[in-house]
Amino acid sequence: GGEQPSFRISARDMEQPIIASSPSSAWNALAARVTDYLGKPRTVVNGPKYFGLQYPVVAFLIGKLPGAK
C-alpha cells in the first residue's frame, strides 16, 4: 500500500501535537491529556465527528485532494 492518512491536533500552547493514524485515536489521545490534567474520568469521543468527516461536503473535498483515492 501507499501512504496512509494521519490526523493531527495542535494548539499554540501544546508542546507536541497529537498525530495518529485514525481520527478517533487522535481525539481520544487529546481527551486522555485533558482528563489526566483535570483529574477526571476519561471519556471516549467520536473522532470522525470532531474532524467533521460526517459532513458529505468534507468527504467530497478530501476526495478531490491530489493523490486521494
Side-chain angles (χ1 to χ4, degrees):
E3 289 185 37
Q4 298 296 314
S6 62
F7 297 85
R8 177 185 175 114
I9 301 171
S10 61
R12 283 180 236 161
D13 59 349
M14 289 174 73
E15 289 182 25
Q16 297 272 337
I18 296 170
I19 302 171
S21 61
S22 75
S24 292
S25 294
W27 280 103
N28 285 319
L30 178 64
R33 285 189 192 183
V34 170
T35 55
D36 287 348
Y37 177 78
L38 297 175
K40 295 186 177 190
R42 292 191 181 199
T43 59
V44 176
V45 295
N46 181 332
K49 179 180 176 182
Y50 285 107
F51 276 105
L53 300 177
Q54 83 274 18
Y55 297 109
V57 69
V58 173
F60 172 78
L61 293 171
I62 290 171
K64 293 295 185 181
L65 291 171
K69 295 179 183 179

